[in-house]
Amino acid sequence: CSASANKPLLTLFTKKPCPLCDEAKEVLEPHKRRFILQEVDITLPENLAWYDKYKHDIPVFHLNGKFLMKHQVDIQKFEDELTKLELQND
């Protein structure tokens, strides 16, 4: 099954501690088989550009490299975008 190769990449821009990020991950939990989660710690030196961009907005989510949402999970928007990507891959 090549499904995992085609799974969308959901990037979470975060830092420690981030209660809103933890909350967002809980909301996404039931859907976790449908995407790959990559967490980017914006406080790391190599992520300075992301820190400058998102320091007041985390959590921020990108889906396959494109901005999707920030502050909290909009589950309907997430579902819609995920479904769109899944249909493209079929």
Coordinates of all heavy atoms in Angstrom, one line a residue:
C1 N 0.9 -1.2 0.0 CA 0.0 0.0 0.0 C 0.9 1.3 0.0 O 1.7 1.4 0.9 CB -0.9 0.0 1.2 SG -1.8 1.5 1.5
S2 N 0.7 2.1 -1.0 CA 1.5 3.3 -1.1 C 0.9 4.5 -0.4 O 1.3 5.6 -0.6 CB 1.9 3.6 -2.5 OG 0.7 3.9 -3.2
A3 N -0.2 4.3 0.3 CA -0.9 5.4 0.9 C -0.1 6.3 1.8 O -0.2 7.5 1.7 CB -2.1 4.8 1.7
S4 N 0.8 5.7 2.6 CA 1.6 6.5 3.5 C 2.6 7.4 2.7 O 2.9 8.5 3.2 CB 2.4 5.6 4.5 OG 3.4 4.9 3.7
A5 N 3.0 7.0 1.5 CA 3.9 7.9 0.7 C 3.1 9.1 0.3 O 3.7 10.2 0.1 CB 4.4 7.1 -0.5
N6 N 1.8 9.0 0.1 CA 1.0 10.1 -0.4 C 0.4 10.9 0.8 O -0.4 11.8 0.5 CB -0.1 9.6 -1.3 CG 0.5 9.2 -2.6 OD1 1.6 9.7 -3.0 ND2 -0.1 8.2 -3.3
K7 N 0.6 10.6 2.0 CA 0.0 11.3 3.1 C 0.4 12.8 3.1 O 1.6 13.1 2.9 CB 0.3 10.7 4.4 CG -0.5 9.5 4.8 CD -0.3 9.1 6.2 CE -0.8 7.8 6.5 NZ -0.5 7.3 7.9
P8 N -0.5 13.7 3.3 CA -0.2 15.1 3.4 C 0.7 15.3 4.6 O 0.6 14.7 5.6 CB -1.5 15.8 3.6 CG -2.5 14.8 3.1 CD -2.0 13.5 3.4
L9 N 1.6 16.3 4.5 CA 2.5 16.7 5.6 C 1.9 17.9 6.3 O 1.7 19.0 5.7 CB 3.9 17.1 5.1 CG 4.9 17.5 6.1 CD1 5.2 16.4 7.1 CD2 6.1 18.0 5.5
L10 N 1.5 17.7 7.6 CA 1.0 18.8 8.4 C 2.2 19.3 9.3 O 2.7 18.6 10.1 CB -0.1 18.4 9.3 CG -0.8 19.5 10.1 CD1 -1.6 20.5 9.2 CD2 -1.8 18.9 11.1
T11 N 2.6 20.6 9.1 CA 3.7 21.1 9.9 C 3.1 22.0 11.0 O 2.2 22.9 10.7 CB 4.6 22.0 9.0 OG1 5.0 21.2 7.9 CG2 5.8 22.4 9.7
L12 N 3.5 21.7 12.2 CA 3.0 22.5 13.3 C 4.2 23.4 13.8 O 5.3 22.8 14.2 CB 2.6 21.6 14.5 CG 2.4 22.2 15.9 CD1 1.5 23.3 15.9 CD2 2.1 21.1 16.9
F13 N 4.1 24.7 13.7 CA 5.1 25.6 14.3 C 4.7 25.8 15.7 O 3.7 26.3 16.0 CB 5.1 26.9 13.4 CG 5.6 26.7 12.0 CD1 4.6 26.4 11.0 CD2 6.9 26.7 11.7 CE1 5.1 26.1 9.7 CE2 7.3 26.4 10.4 CZ 6.4 26.2 9.4
T14 N 5.7 25.5 16.6 CA 5.4 25.5 18.0 C 6.6 25.9 18.8 O 7.7 26.2 18.3 CB 5.0 24.0 18.4 OG1 4.7 24.0 19.8 CG2 6.1 23.0 18.2
K15 N 6.5 26.0 20.1 CA 7.6 26.2 21.1 C 7.2 25.6 22.4 O 6.0 25.3 22.6 CB 8.0 27.7 21.2 CG 6.9 28.6 21.8 CD 7.4 30.0 21.8 CE 6.3 30.9 22.4 NZ 6.5 32.3 22.3
K16 N 8.1 25.5 23.3 CA 7.8 24.9 24.6 C 7.8 26.0 25.6 O 8.7 26.8 25.6 CB 8.9 23.9 25.0 CG 9.0 22.7 24.0 CD 8.3 21.5 24.5 CE 8.4 20.3 23.6 NZ 7.7 20.3 22.4
P17 N 6.9 26.1 26.6 CA 5.6 25.3 26.5 C 4.6 26.0 25.6 O 4.7 27.2 25.4 CB 5.1 25.4 28.0 CG 5.7 26.7 28.5 CD 7.0 27.0 27.7
C18 N 3.7 25.2 25.1 CA 2.6 25.8 24.3 C 1.3 25.0 24.5 O 1.0 24.0 23.8 CB 3.0 25.7 22.8 SG 1.7 26.3 21.7
P19 N 0.6 25.4 25.5 CA -0.7 24.7 25.8 C -1.7 24.7 24.7 O -2.4 23.7 24.5 CB -1.3 25.5 27.0 CG -0.1 26.3 27.6 CD 0.9 26.5 26.5
L20 N -1.7 25.8 23.9 CA -2.6 25.8 22.7 C -2.1 24.8 21.7 O -3.0 24.2 21.0 CB -2.6 27.2 22.1 CG -3.3 28.3 22.8 CD1 -3.2 29.6 22.1 CD2 -4.8 27.9 22.9
C21 N -0.8 24.5 21.6 CA -0.3 23.5 20.6 C -0.8 22.1 21.1 O -1.2 21.3 20.3 CB 1.2 23.6 20.5 SG 1.8 25.2 20.0
D22 N -0.7 21.9 22.4 CA -1.1 20.6 22.9 C -2.6 20.4 22.7 O -3.0 19.3 22.3 CB -0.8 20.5 24.5 CG 0.7 20.7 24.8 OD1 1.5 20.3 23.9 OD2 1.0 21.1 25.9
E23 N -3.3 21.4 22.9 CA -4.8 21.4 22.6 C -5.1 21.1 21.2 O -5.9 20.2 20.8 CB -5.4 22.7 23.0 CG -6.8 22.7 23.5 CD -7.1 24.1 24.0 OE1 -6.8 24.5 25.1 OE2 -7.8 24.8 23.2
A24 N -4.3 21.7 20.3 CA -4.5 21.5 18.8 C -4.2 20.1 18.5 O -4.9 19.5 17.7 CB -3.6 22.5 18.1
K25 N -3.1 19.5 19.0 CA -2.8 18.2 18.7 C -3.9 17.2 19.2 O -4.1 16.2 18.5 CB -1.4 17.8 19.3 CG -0.3 18.4 18.5 CD 1.1 17.9 18.9 CE 1.6 18.5 20.2 NZ 2.9 18.2 20.5
E26 N -4.5 17.5 20.3 CA -5.6 16.6 20.8 C -6.8 16.7 19.8 O -7.4 15.6 19.6 CB -6.1 17.1 22.2 CG -5.2 16.6 23.3 CD -5.6 17.1 24.7 OE1 -6.9 17.3 24.9 OE2 -4.7 17.4 25.5
V27 N -7.1 17.9 19.3 CA -8.2 18.0 18.4 C -7.9 17.2 17.1 O -8.8 16.6 16.5 CB -8.4 19.5 18.0 CG1 -9.4 19.6 16.9 CG2 -8.9 20.2 19.3
L28 N -6.6 17.2 16.7 CA -6.2 16.5 15.5 C -6.1 15.0 15.6 O -6.0 14.2 14.7 CB -4.9 17.0 14.9 CG -5.0 18.5 14.5 CD1 -3.6 19.0 14.2 CD2 -5.8 18.6 13.2
E29 N -6.0 14.5 16.9 CA -5.7 13.1 17.2 C -6.5 12.1 16.4 O -6.0 11.2 15.8 CB -5.9 12.9 18.7 CG -5.6 11.5 19.2 CD -4.1 11.1 19.1 OE1 -3.2 12.0 19.1 OE2 -3.8 9.9 19.1
P30 N -7.9 12.3 16.3 CA -8.7 11.3 15.6 C -8.4 11.2 14.1 O -8.7 10.2 13.5 CB -10.1 11.8 15.8 CG -10.1 12.8 16.9 CD -8.7 13.4 16.9
H31 N -7.7 12.2 13.6 CA -7.4 12.2 12.2 C -5.9 11.8 11.8 O -5.5 11.9 10.7 CB -7.6 13.6 11.6 CG -9.0 14.1 11.9 ND1 -10.1 13.8 11.1 CD2 -9.5 14.9 12.9 CE1 -11.2 14.4 11.6 NE2 -10.8 15.0 12.7
K32 N -5.2 11.5 12.9 CA -3.7 11.4 12.7 C -3.3 10.3 11.7 O -2.1 10.4 11.2 CB -3.0 11.2 14.0 CG -3.3 9.8 14.7 CD -2.4 9.7 15.9 CE -2.5 8.2 16.4 NZ -2.8 8.1 17.7
R33 N -4.1 9.4 11.3 CA -3.8 8.3 10.4 C -3.8 8.9 8.9 O -3.3 8.3 8.0 CB -4.7 7.1 10.4 CG -4.5 6.3 11.7 CD -5.4 5.1 11.7 NE -6.8 5.3 11.4 CZ -7.6 5.9 12.3 NH1 -7.2 6.3 13.5 NH2 -8.9 6.1 12.0
R34 N -4.3 10.1 8.8 CA -4.5 10.7 7.5 C -3.4 11.7 7.1 O -3.4 12.2 5.9 CB -5.9 11.4 7.4 CG -7.0 10.4 7.5 CD -8.4 11.1 7.6 NE -8.7 11.9 6.4 CZ -9.6 12.9 6.4 NH1 -10.3 13.2 7.4 NH2 -9.8 13.5 5.2
F35 N -2.5 11.9 8.0 CA -1.4 12.9 7.6 C -0.2 12.6 8.4 O -0.2 11.8 9.4 CB -1.9 14.3 7.9 CG -2.2 14.6 9.4 CD1 -1.2 15.0 10.3 CD2 -3.5 14.4 9.8 CE1 -1.5 15.2 11.6 CE2 -3.8 14.7 11.2 CZ -2.8 15.1 12.1
I36 N 0.9 13.2 8.0 CA 2.2 13.1 8.8 C 2.4 14.4 9.5 O 2.3 15.5 8.9 CB 3.4 12.8 7.8 CG1 3.2 11.5 7.1 CG2 4.7 12.9 8.5 CD1 4.0 11.3 5.8
L37 N 2.6 14.3 10.8 CA 2.8 15.5 11.6 C 4.3 15.8 11.8 O 5.1 15.0 12.2 CB 2.2 15.4 13.0 CG 2.3 16.6 13.9 CD1 1.5 17.8 13.3 CD2 1.8 16.4 15.3
Q38 N 4.7 17.0 11.4 CA 6.1 17.5 11.6 C 6.0 18.7 12.5 O 5.3 19.7 12.2 CB 6.7 17.9 10.2 CG 8.0 18.5 10.3 CD 8.4 19.1 9.0 OE1 7.7 19.8 8.3 NE2 9.7 18.9 8.6
E39 N 6.7 18.6 13.6 CA 6.7 19.8 14.5 C 8.0 20.6 14.3 O 9.1 20.0 14.2 CB 6.6 19.3 16.0 CG 5.3 18.7 16.3 CD 5.0 18.4 17.7 OE1 5.5 19.3 18.6 OE2 4.5 17.4 18.0
V40 N 7.9 21.9 14.2 CA 9.0 22.8 14.1 C 9.1 23.7 15.3 O 8.1 24.5 15.5 CB 8.9 23.6 12.8 CG1 10.0 24.7 12.7 CG2 8.9 22.7 11.5
D41 N 10.1 23.6 16.1 CA 10.3 24.4 17.2 C 10.9 25.7 16.8 O 12.1 25.8 16.4 CB 11.3 23.7 18.2 CG 11.4 24.5 19.5 OD1 11.2 25.7 19.5 OD2 11.8 23.9 20.5
I42 N 10.1 26.8 16.8 CA 10.5 28.1 16.3 C 11.6 28.8 17.2 O 12.2 29.8 16.8 CB 9.3 29.1 16.1 CG1 8.6 29.4 17.4 CG2 8.3 28.5 15.1 CD1 7.6 30.5 17.3
T43 N 11.9 28.2 18.4 CA 12.9 28.8 19.2 C 14.3 28.3 18.9 O 15.3 28.9 19.4 CB 12.6 28.6 20.7 OG1 12.7 27.2 21.0 CG2 11.3 29.1 21.1
L44 N 14.4 27.3 18.0 CA 15.7 26.8 17.6 C 16.4 27.8 16.7 O 15.7 28.4 15.9 CB 15.6 25.4 16.9 CG 15.1 24.3 17.8 CD1 14.9 23.0 17.0 CD2 16.0 24.1 19.0
P45 N 17.7 28.0 16.8 CA 18.4 29.0 16.0 C 18.2 28.8 14.5 O 18.0 29.8 13.8 CB 19.9 28.7 16.3 CG 19.9 28.0 17.6 CD 18.6 27.2 17.7
E46 N 18.1 27.6 14.0 CA 17.9 27.4 12.6 C 16.5 27.8 12.1 O 16.2 27.8 10.9 CB 18.2 25.9 12.2 CG 17.3 24.9 12.7 CD 17.8 24.3 14.1 OE1 18.6 24.9 14.8 OE2 17.4 23.1 14.3
N47 N 15.6 28.0 13.0 CA 14.2 28.4 12.7 C 13.9 29.8 13.0 O 12.7 30.2 13.2 CB 13.2 27.5 13.4 CG 13.4 26.0 13.0 OD1 13.7 25.7 11.9 ND2 13.2 25.1 13.9
L48 N 14.9 30.7 13.0 CA 14.8 32.1 13.4 C 13.8 32.8 12.5 O 13.0 33.6 12.9 CB 16.1 32.8 13.3 CG 16.2 34.2 13.9 CD1 15.8 34.2 15.3 CD2 17.5 34.8 13.7
A49 N 13.8 32.5 11.2 CA 12.9 33.1 10.2 C 11.4 32.8 10.6 O 10.5 33.7 10.6 CB 13.1 32.7 8.8
W50 N 11.1 31.6 11.0 CA 9.8 31.2 11.5 C 9.5 31.9 12.8 O 8.3 32.3 13.0 CB 9.7 29.7 11.6 CG 9.8 28.9 10.3 CD1 10.7 28.0 10.0 CD2 8.9 29.1 9.2 NE1 10.5 27.5 8.7 CE2 9.4 28.2 8.2 CE3 7.8 29.9 8.9 CZ2 8.8 28.0 6.9 CZ3 7.2 29.7 7.7 CH2 7.7 28.8 6.7
Y51 N 10.5 32.0 13.7 CA 10.2 32.7 14.9 C 9.8 34.1 14.7 O 8.8 34.6 15.3 CB 11.5 32.6 15.8 CG 11.3 33.3 17.1 CD1 10.6 32.7 18.2 CD2 11.7 34.6 17.3 CE1 10.4 33.3 19.4 CE2 11.5 35.3 18.5 CZ 10.8 34.6 19.6 OH 10.6 35.3 20.8
D52 N 10.5 34.8 13.8 CA 10.2 36.2 13.5 C 8.8 36.3 13.0 O 8.0 37.3 13.2 CB 11.2 36.8 12.5 CG 12.5 37.0 13.2 OD1 12.6 37.1 14.4 OD2 13.5 37.2 12.4
K53 N 8.4 35.3 12.1 CA 7.1 35.4 11.5 C 5.9 35.0 12.4 O 4.9 35.6 12.3 CB 7.1 34.4 10.3 CG 6.0 34.6 9.3 CD 6.3 33.8 8.1 CE 5.1 34.0 7.1 NZ 5.4 33.4 5.8
Y54 N 6.2 34.0 13.3 CA 5.0 33.4 14.0 C 5.1 33.5 15.5 O 4.3 32.9 16.2 CB 4.9 31.9 13.6 CG 4.5 31.6 12.2 CD1 5.1 30.6 11.5 CD2 3.5 32.4 11.6 CE1 4.7 30.3 10.2 CE2 3.1 32.2 10.3 CZ 3.7 31.1 9.6 OH 3.3 30.9 8.3
K55 N 6.1 34.2 16.1 CA 6.2 34.2 17.5 C 5.0 34.6 18.3 O 4.8 34.1 19.4 CB 7.4 35.1 18.0 CG 7.3 36.6 17.6 CD 8.5 37.3 18.0 CE 8.5 38.7 17.5 NZ 9.6 39.0 16.6
H56 N 4.1 35.4 17.7 CA 2.8 35.8 18.4 C 1.6 35.0 18.0 O 0.5 35.3 18.4 CB 2.6 37.3 18.2 CG 3.7 38.1 18.7 ND1 4.1 38.1 20.1 CD2 4.5 39.0 18.1 CE1 5.1 39.0 20.2 NE2 5.4 39.5 19.0
D57 N 1.8 34.0 17.1 CA 0.7 33.3 16.5 C 0.6 31.8 16.7 O -0.4 31.2 16.3 CB 0.7 33.6 15.0 CG 0.4 35.0 14.6 OD1 -0.5 35.6 15.3 OD2 1.0 35.5 13.7
I58 N 1.6 31.2 17.4 CA 1.5 29.8 17.5 C 0.3 29.3 18.3 O -0.1 30.0 19.2 CB 2.9 29.2 18.0 CG1 3.1 29.7 19.4 CG2 4.0 29.4 17.1 CD1 4.2 28.9 20.2
P59 N -0.2 28.1 18.0 CA 0.3 27.2 17.0 C -0.1 27.7 15.6 O -1.2 28.3 15.4 CB -0.5 25.9 17.3 CG -1.7 26.4 18.0 CD -1.3 27.6 18.8
V60 N 0.8 27.5 14.6 CA 0.5 27.8 13.2 C 0.7 26.4 12.5 O 1.6 25.6 12.7 CB 1.6 28.8 12.6 CG1 1.4 29.0 11.1 CG2 1.4 30.1 13.4
F61 N -0.2 26.2 11.5 CA -0.2 25.0 10.7 C 0.0 25.3 9.3 O -0.7 26.2 8.7 CB -1.5 24.2 10.9 CG -1.7 23.6 12.3 CD1 -2.4 24.3 13.3 CD2 -1.2 22.4 12.6 CE1 -2.5 23.8 14.6 CE2 -1.3 21.9 13.9 CZ -2.0 22.6 14.9
H62 N 0.8 24.5 8.6 CA 1.0 24.5 7.2 C 0.6 23.1 6.7 O 1.0 22.1 7.4 CB 2.4 24.8 6.8 CG 2.8 26.2 6.9 ND1 4.0 26.7 6.3 CD2 2.3 27.2 7.6 CE1 4.1 28.0 6.6 NE2 3.1 28.3 7.4
L63 N -0.1 23.0 5.6 CA -0.4 21.7 5.0 C 0.3 21.6 3.7 O 0.1 22.4 2.8 CB -1.9 21.5 4.9 CG -2.4 20.2 4.5 CD1 -2.1 19.1 5.5 CD2 -3.9 20.2 4.3
N64 N 1.2 20.6 3.6 CA 2.0 20.5 2.4 C 2.7 21.8 2.0 O 2.8 22.2 0.9 CB 1.2 19.9 1.2 CG 1.0 18.4 1.3 OD1 1.5 17.8 2.2 ND2 0.3 17.9 0.4
G65 N 3.2 22.5 3.1 CA 4.0 23.7 2.8 C 3.2 25.0 2.6 O 3.8 26.0 2.5
K66 N 1.9 24.9 2.6 CA 1.1 26.1 2.5 C 0.4 26.4 3.8 O -0.1 25.5 4.5 CB 0.0 25.8 1.4 CG 0.6 25.8 0.0 CD -0.5 26.1 -1.1 CE -1.6 25.1 -1.1 NZ -1.5 24.1 -2.1
F67 N 0.4 27.7 4.1 CA -0.3 28.1 5.3 C -1.7 27.6 5.4 O -2.5 27.7 4.4 CB -0.3 29.7 5.4 CG -1.1 30.2 6.6 CD1 -0.5 30.2 7.9 CD2 -2.4 30.6 6.5 CE1 -1.2 30.6 9.0 CE2 -3.1 31.0 7.6 CZ -2.5 31.0 8.8
L68 N -2.1 27.1 6.5 CA -3.5 26.5 6.6 C -4.3 27.3 7.7 O -5.4 27.8 7.4 CB -3.4 25.1 7.0 CG -4.8 24.3 7.1 CD1 -5.6 24.3 5.8 CD2 -4.6 22.9 7.6
M69 N -3.7 27.4 8.9 CA -4.5 28.0 10.0 C -3.5 28.4 11.2 O -2.4 27.9 11.2 CB -5.6 27.1 10.5 CG -5.1 25.7 10.9 SD -6.5 24.6 11.0 CE -5.6 23.0 11.2
K70 N -4.0 29.2 12.1 CA -3.2 29.6 13.2 C -4.1 29.7 14.5 O -5.3 29.8 14.3 CB -2.4 30.8 13.0 CG -3.2 32.1 12.8 CD -2.3 33.2 12.5 CE -3.0 34.5 12.3 NZ -2.2 35.6 11.9
H71 N -3.5 29.8 15.6 CA -4.1 29.9 16.9 C -4.9 28.7 17.4 O -4.7 28.3 18.5 CB -5.0 31.2 17.0 CG -4.2 32.4 16.7 ND1 -4.8 33.5 16.2 CD2 -2.9 32.8 16.9 CE1 -3.9 34.5 16.0 NE2 -2.8 34.0 16.5
Q72 N -5.8 28.2 16.6 CA -6.5 27.0 17.0 C -6.9 26.2 15.7 O -6.9 26.8 14.6 CB -7.7 27.3 17.8 CG -8.8 28.2 17.1 CD -9.8 28.7 18.1 OE1 -9.4 29.0 19.3 NE2 -11.0 28.7 17.7
V73 N -7.2 25.0 15.9 CA -7.6 24.1 14.8 C -9.0 24.5 14.3 O -10.0 24.4 15.1 CB -7.5 22.6 15.2 CG1 -8.0 21.8 14.0 CG2 -6.0 22.3 15.5
D74 N -9.1 24.8 13.1 CA -10.4 24.9 12.4 C -10.7 23.6 11.8 O -10.2 23.3 10.7 CB -10.4 26.1 11.4 CG -11.7 26.2 10.6 OD1 -12.5 25.2 10.6 OD2 -11.9 27.3 10.0
I75 N -11.4 22.7 12.5 CA -11.4 21.3 12.1 C -12.2 21.2 10.7 O -11.8 20.3 9.9 CB -12.1 20.4 13.2 CG1 -11.7 18.9 13.0 CG2 -13.6 20.5 13.2 CD1 -10.2 18.6 13.2
Q76 N -13.1 22.0 10.4 CA -13.8 21.9 9.2 C -12.9 22.3 8.0 O -12.9 21.6 7.0 CB -15.1 22.9 9.2 CG -16.0 22.6 8.0 CD -16.5 21.2 7.9 OE1 -17.1 20.6 8.9 NE2 -16.2 20.5 6.8
K77 N -12.2 23.4 8.2 CA -11.2 23.8 7.2 C -10.2 22.7 7.0 O -9.8 22.4 5.8 CB -10.5 25.1 7.6 CG -9.6 25.6 6.6 CD -9.0 27.0 7.0 CE -8.2 27.6 5.9 NZ -7.7 28.9 6.3
F78 N -9.7 22.1 8.1 CA -8.7 21.1 8.0 C -9.2 19.9 7.2 O -8.6 19.4 6.3 CB -8.2 20.7 9.4 CG -7.2 19.6 9.4 CD1 -6.0 19.8 9.0 CD2 -7.6 18.3 10.0 CE1 -5.0 18.7 9.0 CE2 -6.7 17.3 10.0 CZ -5.4 17.5 9.5
E79 N -10.4 19.5 7.6 CA -11.1 18.3 6.9 C -11.2 18.6 5.4 O -10.9 17.7 4.6 CB -12.5 18.1 7.5 CG -12.6 17.4 8.7 CD -12.5 15.9 8.5 OE1 -12.8 15.4 7.4 OE2 -12.0 15.2 9.4
D80 N -11.7 19.8 5.1 CA -11.9 20.1 3.7 C -10.6 20.1 2.9 O -10.5 19.5 1.8 CB -12.5 21.5 3.5 CG -13.9 21.6 4.1 OD1 -14.5 20.6 4.3 OD2 -14.4 22.8 4.2
E81 N -9.5 20.6 3.4 CA -8.2 20.7 2.7 C -7.6 19.3 2.6 O -7.0 18.9 1.6 CB -7.2 21.6 3.4 CG -7.6 23.1 3.4 CD -7.7 23.6 1.9 OE1 -6.8 23.3 1.1 OE2 -8.7 24.3 1.6
L82 N -7.8 18.5 3.7 CA -7.2 17.1 3.7 C -8.0 16.3 2.7 O -7.3 15.5 1.9 CB -7.5 16.5 5.1 CG -6.5 15.5 5.6 CD1 -5.1 15.9 5.4 CD2 -6.8 15.1 7.1
T83 N -9.3 16.4 2.6 CA -10.1 15.7 1.6 C -9.7 16.0 0.2 O -9.5 15.2 -0.6 CB -11.6 15.9 1.9 OG1 -11.9 15.5 3.2 CG2 -12.4 15.1 0.9
K84 N -9.5 17.3 0.0 CA -9.0 17.8 -1.3 C -7.7 17.1 -1.8 O -7.6 16.6 -2.9 CB -8.8 19.3 -1.3 CG -9.9 20.1 -2.0 CD -9.5 21.6 -2.1 CE -10.3 22.4 -1.1 NZ -9.9 23.8 -1.1
L85 N -6.8 17.1 -0.8 CA -5.5 16.5 -1.1 C -5.6 15.0 -1.4 O -5.0 14.4 -2.3 CB -4.5 16.7 0.0 CG -4.0 18.2 0.1 CD1 -3.2 18.4 1.4 CD2 -3.1 18.5 -1.1
E86 N -6.5 14.3 -0.6 CA -6.7 12.9 -0.7 C -7.3 12.6 -2.1 O -6.9 11.6 -2.7 CB -7.5 12.4 0.4 CG -6.8 12.3 1.7 CD -7.7 12.1 3.0 OE1 -8.9 12.2 2.8 OE2 -7.1 11.8 4.0
L87 N -8.2 13.4 -2.5 CA -8.9 13.2 -3.8 C -7.9 13.4 -5.0 O -7.9 12.7 -6.0 CB -10.1 14.1 -4.0 CG -11.2 13.8 -3.1 CD1 -12.3 14.9 -3.2 CD2 -11.8 12.5 -3.4
Q88 N -6.9 14.4 -4.8 CA -5.9 14.6 -5.8 C -5.0 13.4 -6.0 O -4.5 13.1 -7.1 CB -5.0 15.8 -5.5 CG -5.7 17.1 -5.7 CD -4.9 18.3 -5.1 OE1 -3.7 18.1 -4.7 NE2 -5.5 19.5 -5.1
N89 N -4.8 12.7 -4.9 CA -3.8 11.6 -4.9 C -4.4 10.3 -5.4 O -3.7 9.3 -5.6 CB -3.2 11.3 -3.5 CG -2.2 12.4 -3.1 OD1 -1.6 13.0 -4.0 ND2 -2.1 12.7 -1.9
D90 N -5.8 10.2 -5.5 CA -6.4 9.0 -5.9 C -6.3 8.8 -7.4 O -6.2 9.7 -8.2 CB -7.9 9.0 -5.5 CG -8.1 8.7 -4.1 OD1 -7.1 8.2 -3.4 OD2 -9.2 8.9 -3.5

